[in-house]
Amino acid sequence: MTTEVSVKVKSTFISKFNKGYPLIFKEALINVNDLQVEGDLVKLVDEKNRFIGKGYYGKQNKGIGWILTRNENDQINQIFFDKKLAAALNHRQQFYHDTETTAFRVFNGEGDGIGGLTIDYFDGYYLINWYSKGIYQFKEYVIESLNKLVEYKAIYQKKRFAIDGKYIEEDGFVIGERGQFPIIIKENGINFFIYLDEGAMVGIFLDQREVRKIIKEKYAQGKTVLNAFSYTGAFSVAAALGGALKTTSVDLANRSLGKTIEQFSVNGIDYEEQDIIVEDVFHYFKYAIKKEQKFDMVILDPPSFARSKKYTFSAAKDYKYLLKEAIKITEDNGVIVASTNASTFDMNQFKGFIATAFKEMNRTYKSLEEFSLPKDFKTMKEFREGDYLKVVFIKI
Ligand code: SAH
């Protein structure tokens, strides 16, 4: 049985919450120290004890919990979770019917009414991501809702929170019949290997589905493609299937080589005709610039923050520099795909970085098209940070 703790909101933040902001954060609270046990329910009230909202206490890298309801009479119980999950599933009906795409997001945190929780579907398997110890306390409700609402081969989970400061590596199996990984999922006709049982990541980022599709169908034919920060090479695979002359994938992580070979192979592409390079992108750029090597298309999809031996990269500070390097190795009339998942700046600011980079390089460009999160990654307008993905196709 979870307890409910009443917490007062500072007067300056009341209107923010009343406008629908869902993230509970320390700075906004008066008696924040009354919150002790993650998973406890939090009742937010104003100084006169007037009800603002009800949620749970759970520490994430941002915030310390999420508002779940604005209705004082709502109970956070099995029925509550059933309703949220049923609505989320309903929103994804068309995905379940698409035989060409067998992986998508089923539940997207606050966008579906419960922050700190995501659920992805991979061809009959469900993967739950718990983003705090707090939301993990509601585990039984979530599993029970899935049991009631969907059929599955198995449910897996990833605990994206540290217990006693340590991330626990585990295979994540919850219930059902254990899978044999990798499984193969389909996405608009592309195959991908997926591992639900190892590490924090599964093999592809589902939010880039539309970008992979357009690269394959519209941009790759006959082109040389550099995929920087390539991870398992998903963009390279899309480009190769779309008729690219050659792809070059660059990622710093040793694991990326084997995983990229796998993603090419599962699509019947001879990986030996592609370049897969394990190296720091910034170092690779220097090398390409020196050799005057240029590409028709350069894809940039860096992490929002990363530290390598030589460089610290922060998208907010360094994206402009990254673009300037990319401009140097992109052919005239070539295309740069600039992507970021940084939630600290929005599309307008991102376009500002792009404009400045080109200006400082004395080059002109045309923005061809833009992408943000696909429909299955549901967001809410009261929480713009949740709408993190920004992708711009730029013609030089
Ligand atoms: N574009 C990929 C996802 C990229 S995730 C996709 O669509 O699937 C970010 C990747 O950047 C990680 O694989 C990480 O290993 C890599 N990375 C981080 N810093 C790097 C650096 N300085 N040079 C090369 N790769 C880097």
Side-chain angles (χ1 to χ4, degrees):
M1 190 58 208
T2 41
T3 28
E4 183 175 287
V5 184
S6 184
V7 180
K8 280 199 167 78
V9 174
K10 292 179 188 165
S11 56
T12 42
F13 292 101
I14 286 169
S15 76
K16 187 178 176 91
F17 286 119
N18 279 340
K19 276 186 210 141
Y21 193 75
L23 182 70
I24 304 174
F25 54 103
K26 249 192 216 144
E27 298 72 27
L29 308 180
I30 295 171
N31 53 322
V32 62
N33 292 331
D34 288 350
L35 292 172
Q36 298 280 341
V37 183
E38 287 192 60
D40 274 358
L41 294 175
V42 182
K43 188 170 127 187
L44 294 182
V45 295
D46 67 11
E47 273 116 299
K48 289 186 181 141
N49 278 318
R50 282 178 299 210
F51 180 79
I52 296 172
K54 195 166 17 177
Y56 71 89
Y57 172 47
K59 287 189 265 183
Q60 284 182 224
N61 53 354
K62 241 188 308 172
I64 56 164
W66 295 91
I67 294 178
L68 299 175
T69 176
R70 312 257 162 194
N71 182 344
E72 198 168 4
N73 299 320
D74 269 357
Q75 300 293 314
I76 309 304
N77 54 15
Q78 187 64 57
I79 295 164
F80 178 85
F81 279 85
D82 288 352
K83 274 192 192 156
K84 293 289 180 204
L85 260 89
L89 289 164
N90 192 38
H91 183 72
R92 278 82 179 174
Q93 272 320 309
Q94 71 185 81
F95 286 91
Y96 280 99
H97 292 132
D98 181 352
T99 51
E100 285 303 293
T101 298
T102 58
F104 49 90
R105 178 147 293 189
V106 163
F107 196 94
N108 196 40
E110 72 286 348
D112 283 294
I114 305 174
L117 167 73
T118 67
I119 307 176
D120 293 330
Y121 176 82
F122 296 97
D123 193 26
Y125 293 89
Y126 285 82
L127 175 69
I128 306 174
N129 282 295
W130 310 103
Y131 282 88
S132 73
K133 211 173 180 172
I135 188 63
Y136 187 66
Q137 303 312 311
F138 299 93
K139 177 180 171 179
E140 300 308 325
Y141 289 148
V142 175
I143 309 256
E144 176 57 21
S145 294
L146 282 174
N147 271 335
K148 270 189 220 162
L149 296 165
V150 298
E151 282 172 27
Y152 55 78
K153 294 173 187 161
I155 297 175
Y156 278 75
Q157 67 180 357
K158 292 193 189 297
K159 297 182 200 159
R160 298 184 173 273
F161 55 90
I163 291 180
D164 303 329
K166 264 186 262 163
Y167 179 81
I168 300 178
E169 268 292 337
E170 47 186 20
D171 85 340
F173 174 76
V174 179
I175 189 172
E177 196 161 324
R178 259 173 219 277
Q180 292 280 337
F181 298 105
I183 55 165
I184 300 170
I185 62 99
K186 275 202 289 184
E187 182 196 89
N188 297 309
I190 310 178
N191 296 323
F192 287 115
F193 270 152
I194 297 291
Y195 297 81
L196 298 185
D197 61 342
E198 56 167 61
M201 299 190 286
V202 301
I204 59 162
F205 291 98
L206 295 176
D207 54 3
Q208 297 276 15
R209 179 190 310 116
E210 291 169 354
V211 180
R212 285 187 283 267
K213 183 170 194 267
I214 204 91
I215 285 175
K216 178 178 162 224
E217 290 177 359
K218 197 162 145 190
Y219 288 95
Q221 183 68 46
K223 299 296 195 303
T224 54
V225 179
L226 173 66
N227 180 6
F229 308 93
S230 54
Y231 179 43
T232 65
F235 286 133
S236 310
V237 171
L241 288 175
L245 224 44
K246 188 183 179 181
T247 67
T248 302
S249 306
V250 183
D251 196 290
L252 189 62
N254 283 319
R255 58 154 200 253
S256 67
L257 175 61
K259 300 276 187 198
T260 304
I261 290 176
E262 276 186 4
Q263 302 293 31
F264 276 125
S265 303
V266 73
N267 285 286
I269 302 160
D270 182 359
Y271 68 87
E272 289 184 337
E273 287 177 10
Q274 314 294 327
D275 278 341
I276 308 170
I277 299 168
V278 177
E279 198 182 323
D280 192 308
V281 160
F282 297 99
H283 187 255
Y284 178 82
F285 278 174
K286 293 268 175 298
Y287 160 90
I289 293 164
K290 207 164 107 199
K291 292 202 107 191
E292 291 184 27
Q293 196 181 355
K294 289 196 172 186
F295 299 86
D296 299 318
M297 177 149 118
V298 175
I299 302 167
L300 304 171
D301 184 29
S304 38
F305 190 83
R307 191 171 281 134
S308 69
K309 272 180 210 129
K310 273 199 187 149
Y311 309 90
T312 299
F313 176 84
S314 136
K317 281 208 210 92
D318 305 317
Y319 212 107
K320 187 186 81 181
Y321 168 75
L322 179 63
L323 278 162
K324 287 167 79 173
E325 293 288 280
I327 290 167
K328 294 178 194 163
I329 58 166
T330 308
E331 297 279 7
D332 284 352
N333 291 312
V335 171
I336 294 177
V337 181
S339 169
T340 180
N341 59 6
S343 55
T344 50
F345 53 88
D346 65 14
M347 185 57 116
N348 278 335
Q349 288 165 291
F350 189 44
K351 287 196 212 158
F353 299 162
I354 295 170
T356 319
F358 275 87
K359 190 161 180 231
E360 290 181 8
M361 292 295 290
N362 260 318
R363 299 293 299 270
T364 55
Y365 70 99
K366 198 177 142 207
S367 168
L368 299 175
E369 50 193 316
E370 293 167 18
F371 290 86
S372 55
L373 286 174
K375 187 181 176 218
D376 49 329
F377 283 69
K378 196 168 184 243
T379 56
M380 60 190 292
K381 64 178 188 319
E382 296 86 356
F383 192 67
R384 292 316 329 167
E385 305 95 298
D387 198 4
Y388 58 83
L389 186 67
K390 297 166 274 293
V391 185
V392 185
F393 283 63
I394 312 157
K395 184 168 181 170
I396 302 203

